[in-house]
Amino acid sequence: MRITTTSVFVDDQQKALDFYTGTLGFQLASDFPAGEHRWITVVAPDAPDGTQLVLEPSDHPAVPPFKDALVADGIPFASFGVDDVNAEYERLRALGVTFVQEPVSSGPFTAAVLDDTCGNLIQIASMAS
């Protein structure tokens, strides 16, 4: 068994696609109509056959209170691995990304938390080698 897709709920799919590809650097994997919305997935550019992230509409009534509660408590919805959190933090800040947590190290683990502009907090993290 393996994880092939996972989702992040987004307020606006096009805005999310622009942010996740244009700012974070993911690559579009699929984009086609799915009812009143679109099925949009992105992948890491260095792993095009890897796990796809679905930019899932937040329309279900259970989603907004769930997302709001996570943000209110500062809990990231997802975590993305990066080679160097400090370098990625500086690169993304230069692109105008808002961070709610600067890079913090705990032993070999370093993480920072950003606002994805679509209603989620996203953690970027790396492990020292």
Side-chain angles (χ1 to χ4, degrees):
M1 186 176 300
R2 60 190 160 91
I3 299 171
T4 57
T5 58
T6 188
S7 299
V8 62
F9 294 109
V10 297
D11 299 337
D12 179 316
Q13 286 186 295
Q14 184 59 52
K15 182 178 176 183
L17 178 59
D18 293 344
F19 182 79
Y20 279 77
T21 58
T23 302
L24 295 185
F26 287 100
Q27 181 178 351
L28 179 65
S30 60
D31 183 358
F32 54 86
E36 64 185 83
H37 298 289
R38 294 157 55 192
W39 177 263
I40 302 172
T41 64
V42 297
V43 294
D46 61 348
D49 295 325
T51 303
Q52 296 187 18
L53 179 66
V54 180
L55 304 179
E56 188 89 37
S58 295
D59 289 1
H60 189 280
V63 175
F66 170 72
K67 287 175 59 178
D68 291 346
L70 291 178
V71 171
D73 288 346
I75 300 172
F77 185 85
S79 182
F80 302 146
V82 297
D83 292 333
D84 180 337
V85 169
N86 292 305
E88 193 65 10
Y89 170 81
E90 293 301 332
R91 182 186 79 81
L92 292 173
R93 278 194 42 168
L95 293 173
V97 173
T98 300
F99 279 81
V100 298
Q101 177 190 303
E102 296 180 1
V104 174
S105 294
S106 178
F109 181 78
T110 302
V113 179
L114 62 90
D115 177 343
D116 79 346
T117 73
C118 301
N120 302 291
L121 299 179
I122 302 293
Q123 181 181 63
I124 57 172
S126 64
M127 294 288 284
S129 50

